[in-house]
């Protein structure tokens, strides 16, 4: 089956053909670990996860690299403000290292709760300063840099295609910019590769610093992704992802410096961007004080997979609105799905009567449709519709249904295989009555069995029968 992906670089859907047959090099911009990740960030990583699972199911050996930004990301993506990590440390009265470690651990906890795959490489910016300095050296030798006010800048006017990726209109950007300008820059869009300390504007109190050919200091934000992705995936690789907020500045700068360092070798073949999770009053962001995160969902009694299911119901290139009502709706949908899966699993253990050719063929048809839409630029919302049609199709045996659903779950990651009835804490009296009732049912003494059912009901529990199994719910 052909895999089609929307490429931000060409602004159209394209057939996916990796540089090396059967292998995919895949890089994602990771979190800046100065605070918890919010649900918007996690939406982007859910989209990354679906892409990864799709590539694996298409038969590719995937190497997924994701970075942890623990230095150099200033409060404004265009190199203004303070370093977010230093700000986080000040806010909490801790060292930058403590802040980075704590929020990285918290991020990975959320990652696991959402059942995201384990990437092949997690890489930390502060552990790759050497690679970044080497790349800055190359850019210097290739004539793309200048030093000003102590810092090293990338001269965007030297990179002819600078505006191409994001279709930027530099004049408009400049006039609409709300941030104070850095007078050291020759062009508005130039960006810092290396900050040196002693350059008062960028904080001589900066605690993270390294020696360098340009003076003691720290790297600019963008250089880390170019240096680390090339270290782990080579000078050219297949896929790079991030949220749409990165298109205009971060990814535009990553492309400029990467291609300038390798003498204009095309760097990344396919760029994919996930759209935002928004609140009523705009994009969800970390800087907006209180923000929503996985932990809050749990505190309110939601399984984190409800949020995953919520995200899967909207295509990754569409904006998604967050509200508690919408999450509640997803919870109902997810619970219904869970009940169906558990029922199918149960029947699967007992009845195999419809496990004939027609049932197998029909489930195969659903499987083709499901994967066709996943392979069409990750149209998972459509695939979910197909999944529901399969679940409700009476002509397919539960055995075939369950086997097919497990294949779907390799993409969906909703843990179908682990779904089971919540274990109710049943009072001993109810357990006693259930045992007696089971005995009377085996003896086909229906009158007595009904009497026990009523007694159980009086104790606040409802019994449903499934073969000889008795399923119990709280009333
Ligand atoms: P950050 O930790 O801010 O560097 O962001 C981590 C990832 O989350 C990046 O890929 C961002 O593009 C993405 N992101 C940030 N805000 C949102 C949002 N509201 N919705 C979806 N993705 C987001
Ligand atoms: Zn990046």
């Amino acid at each position: 089956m052909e895999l089609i992906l929307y490429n931000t670089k060409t602004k159209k859907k394209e057939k996916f053909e990796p540089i090396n047959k059967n292998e995919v090099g895949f890089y994602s911009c990771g979190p800046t670990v100065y605070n918890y990740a919010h649900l918007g960030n996690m939406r982007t990583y859910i989209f990354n996860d679906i892409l990864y699972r799709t590539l694996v199911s298409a038969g590719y050996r995937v190497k997924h690299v994701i970075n942890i930004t623990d230095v150099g990301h200033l409060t404004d993506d265009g190199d203004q403000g303070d370093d977010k990590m230093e700000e986080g440390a000040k806010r909490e009265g801790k060292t930058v290292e403590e802040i980075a470690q704590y929020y990285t651990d918290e991020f990975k906890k959320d990652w696991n709760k959402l059942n995201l795959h384990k990437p092949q490489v997690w890489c930390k910016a502060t552990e790759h300063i050497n690679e970044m300095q080497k790349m800055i050296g190359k850019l210097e030798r290739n004539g793309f840099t200048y030093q000003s006010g102590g810092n090293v800048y990338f001269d965007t006017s030297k990179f002819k295609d600078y505006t191409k990726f994001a279709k930027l209109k530099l004049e408009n950007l400049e006039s609409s910019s709300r941030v104070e300008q850095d007078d050291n820059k020759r062009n508005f869009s130039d960006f810092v590769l290396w900050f040196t300390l002693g350059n008062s504007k960028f904080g001589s109190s900066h605690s993270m610093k390294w020696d360098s050919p340009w003076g003691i200091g720290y790297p600019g934000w963008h250089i880390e992704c170019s240096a680390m992705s090339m270290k782990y995936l080579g000078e050219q690789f297949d896929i790079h992802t991030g949220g749409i907020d990165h298109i205009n500045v971060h990814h535009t700068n990553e492309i400029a410096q990467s291609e300038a360092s390798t003498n204009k070798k095309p760097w990344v073949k396919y760029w994919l961007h996930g759209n935002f999770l928004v609140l009523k009053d705009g994009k969800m962001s970390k800087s907006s004080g209180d923000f929503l995160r996985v932990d809050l969902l749990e505190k309110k009694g939601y399984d984190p997979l409800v949020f995953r299911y919520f995200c899967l119901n909207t295509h990754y290139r569409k904006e998604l609105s967050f509200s508690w009502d919408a999450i509640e709706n997803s919870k109902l949908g997810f619970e219904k799905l869970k009940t169906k899966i558990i029922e199918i699993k149960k029947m699967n253990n007992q009845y195999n009567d419809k496990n004939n050719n027609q049932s197998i063929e029909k489930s195969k048809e659903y499987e083709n449709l499901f994967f066709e839409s996943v392979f069409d630029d990750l149209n998972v919302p459509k695939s979910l519709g197909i999944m529901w049609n399969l679940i409700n199709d009476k002509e397919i045996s539960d055995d075939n249904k369950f086997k097919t659903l497990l294949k779907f779950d390799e993409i969906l990651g909703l843990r179908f295989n682990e779904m089971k009835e919540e274990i109710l804490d049943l009072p001993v009296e109810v357990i006693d009555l259930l045992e007696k009732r089971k005995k009377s049912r085996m003896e086909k003494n229906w009158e007595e069995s009904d009497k026990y059912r009523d007694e159980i009901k009086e104790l606040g529990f409802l019994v449903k029968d499934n073969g000889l199994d008795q399923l119990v719910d709280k009333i």
Side-chain angles (χ1 to χ4, degrees):
M1 213 179 273
E2 241 177 35
L3 174 59
I4 307 287
L5 297 173
Y6 179 86
N7 190 353
T8 309
K9 186 166 149 181
T10 53
K11 307 197 177 40
K12 53 177 195 262
K13 281 191 187 179
E14 285 176 26
K15 180 173 172 207
F16 177 70
E17 286 174 316
I19 298 167
N20 298 314
K21 206 167 163 250
N22 302 330
E23 275 175 27
V24 178
F26 171 13
Y27 183 85
S28 302
C29 292
T32 308
V33 285
Y34 70 110
N35 209 333
Y36 296 107
H38 57 61
L39 293 176
N41 301 133
M42 298 324 287
R43 181 189 182 201
T44 291
Y45 298 114
I46 291 173
F47 138 63
N48 282 238
D49 179 61
I50 297 293
L51 175 58
Y52 177 88
R53 288 166 180 266
T54 303
L55 291 163
V56 170
S57 106
Y60 295 113
R61 203 164 56 244
V62 188
K63 183 170 179 186
H64 188 198
V65 178
I66 168 162
N67 70 305
I68 299 285
T69 299
D70 55 356
V71 67
H73 193 174
L74 303 196
T75 44
D76 175 78
D77 287 356
D79 292 338
Q80 294 290 333
D82 290 326
D83 187 307
K84 292 185 179 189
M85 296 303 300
E86 300 269 338
E87 253 198 11
K90 257 188 250 157
R91 183 186 66 227
E92 297 186 22
K94 293 191 181 141
T95 64
V96 171
E97 289 74 17
E98 283 167 343
I99 291 284
Q101 190 59 52
Y102 176 76
Y103 288 113
T104 303
D105 291 347
E106 289 299 303
F107 176 74
K108 289 189 181 170
K109 277 187 210 161
D110 289 353
W111 183 279
N112 292 332
K113 284 178 188 166
L114 292 167
N115 199 21
L116 306 180
H117 68 281
K118 193 167 179 283
Q120 282 62 36
V121 180
W122 285 108
C123 46
K124 275 208 297 199
T126 48
E127 289 172 359
H128 296 79
I129 301 294
N130 211 6
E131 286 81 357
M132 296 186 222
Q133 291 190 355
K134 276 197 187 135
M135 185 174 264
I136 300 170
K138 271 192 200 165
L139 291 170
E140 203 169 32
R141 285 192 294 283
N142 291 353
F144 286 93
T145 67
Y146 60 91
Q147 275 179 269
S148 177
N151 297 332
V152 183
Y153 289 86
F154 184 94
D155 186 344
T156 53
S157 67
K158 299 258 168 71
F159 190 76
K160 193 170 66 29
D161 289 338
Y162 183 76
T163 54
K164 195 169 156 192
F165 182 68
K167 288 199 167 142
L168 291 179
K169 295 250 181 304
L170 291 179
E171 323 75 73
N172 299 354
L173 266 189
E174 190 162 2
S175 56
S176 66
S177 169
R178 278 173 289 117
V179 292
E180 190 198 338
Q181 254 310 291
D182 171 4
D183 303 332
N184 297 321
K185 288 185 184 180
R186 288 186 191 159
N187 311 291
F188 174 80
S189 50
D190 292 354
F191 55 93
V192 178
L193 296 166
W194 189 263
F195 290 103
T196 53
L197 302 185
N199 176 348
S200 60
K201 196 162 180 184
F202 300 100
S204 47
S205 64
H206 209 271
S207 68
M208 286 178 291
K209 46 183 174 247
W210 293 266
D211 212 353
S212 88
W214 313 280
I216 295 177
Y218 61 101
W221 171 40
H222 315 292
I223 194 76
E224 67 174 82
C225 289
S226 297
M228 291 193 281
S229 62
M230 284 200 199
K231 168 170 176 174
Y232 295 104
L233 299 171
E235 288 187 350
Q236 293 181 295
F237 60 92
D238 303 294
I239 300 181
H240 192 315
T241 63
I244 51 169
D245 51 336
H246 284 343
I247 298 175
N248 283 1
V249 180
H250 184 49
H251 290 166
T252 290
N253 292 351
E254 280 188 29
I255 293 171
Q257 67 201 0
S258 300
E259 298 191 354
S261 79
T262 60
N263 294 314
K264 312 258 175 74
K265 244 198 237 171
W267 181 42
V268 173
K269 205 168 168 193
Y270 303 90
W271 284 86
L272 276 80
H273 290 95
N275 208 326
F276 288 142
L277 180 67
V278 294
L279 295 169
K280 249 194 344 292
D281 35 10
K283 170 181 174 277
M284 192 176 284
S285 76
K286 291 185 203 178
S287 48
S288 59
D290 265 355
F291 55 78
L292 301 160
R293 55 193 191 92
V294 172
D295 186 62
L296 183 64
L297 287 176
E298 288 181 300
K299 282 196 182 121
K300 285 187 176 265
Y302 295 105
D303 181 337
L305 292 183
V306 167
F307 178 68
R308 186 175 168 105
Y309 185 62
F310 169 67
C311 291
L312 297 189
N313 274 287
T314 298
H315 190 261
Y316 76 94
R317 285 198 287 123
K318 286 205 178 121
E319 197 172 89
L320 173 60
S321 265
F322 179 91
S323 71
W324 288 109
D325 278 351
I327 292 292
E328 188 56 33
N329 266 337
S330 279
K331 181 185 169 180
L332 295 178
F334 187 65
E335 289 295 328
K336 186 170 153 202
L337 177 60
K338 207 163 153 183
T339 311
K340 290 279 184 190
I341 303 265
I342 294 167
E343 268 173 30
I344 291 169
K345 234 194 233 182
K346 282 235 165 75
M347 300 295 179
N348 168 36
N349 295 335
Q350 294 177 31
Y351 306 109
N352 260 329
D353 53 340
K354 280 198 191 154
N355 201 354
N356 52 28
N357 284 346
Q358 193 204 340
S359 162
I360 293 172
E361 261 168 42
K362 269 204 105 184
S363 52
K364 194 79 206 152
E365 277 166 31
Y366 283 109
E367 188 179 325
N368 285 340
L369 289 173
F370 180 94
F371 282 96
E372 248 171 47
S373 53
V374 172
F375 280 35
D376 178 12
D377 194 30
L378 316 181
N379 194 345
V380 179
K382 187 167 170 197
S383 300
L384 284 174
I386 295 158
M387 173 196 77
W388 278 108
N389 290 345
L390 167 88
I391 288 175
N392 294 324
D393 193 325
K394 297 205 166 49
E395 287 176 20
I396 301 181
S397 76
D398 287 314
D399 186 32
N400 290 148
K401 266 189 200 173
F402 192 59
K403 281 185 189 138
T404 312
L405 285 165
L406 286 184
K407 289 185 193 162
F408 293 180
D409 200 41
E410 283 170 22
I411 301 288
L412 304 173
L414 294 169
R415 296 199 165 120
F416 288 170
N417 213 9
E418 292 164 36
M419 286 180 174
K420 52 179 184 292
E421 224 108 29
E422 308 293 331
I423 313 258
L424 284 177
D425 214 359
L426 294 178
V428 234
E429 300 94 299
V430 175
I431 298 176
D432 254 6
L433 287 167
L434 281 171
E435 268 165 20
K436 285 184 188 156
R437 184 167 179 270
K438 187 168 185 178
K439 192 160 165 280
S440 46
R441 290 181 77 222
M442 281 162 72
E443 289 161 1
K444 299 196 185 327
N445 186 346
W446 309 121
E447 209 176 309
E448 196 173 81
S449 128
D450 285 348
K451 183 175 82 67
Y452 290 134
R453 182 208 298 268
D454 293 342
E455 286 179 35
I456 292 170
K457 199 170 170 189
E458 272 165 36
L459 293 170
F461 294 87
L462 205 64
V463 195
K464 288 182 282 179
D465 296 316
N466 181 9
L468 273 181
D469 276 349
Q470 306 177 88
L471 309 176
V472 186
D473 255 346
K474 249 196 171 120
I475 296 175

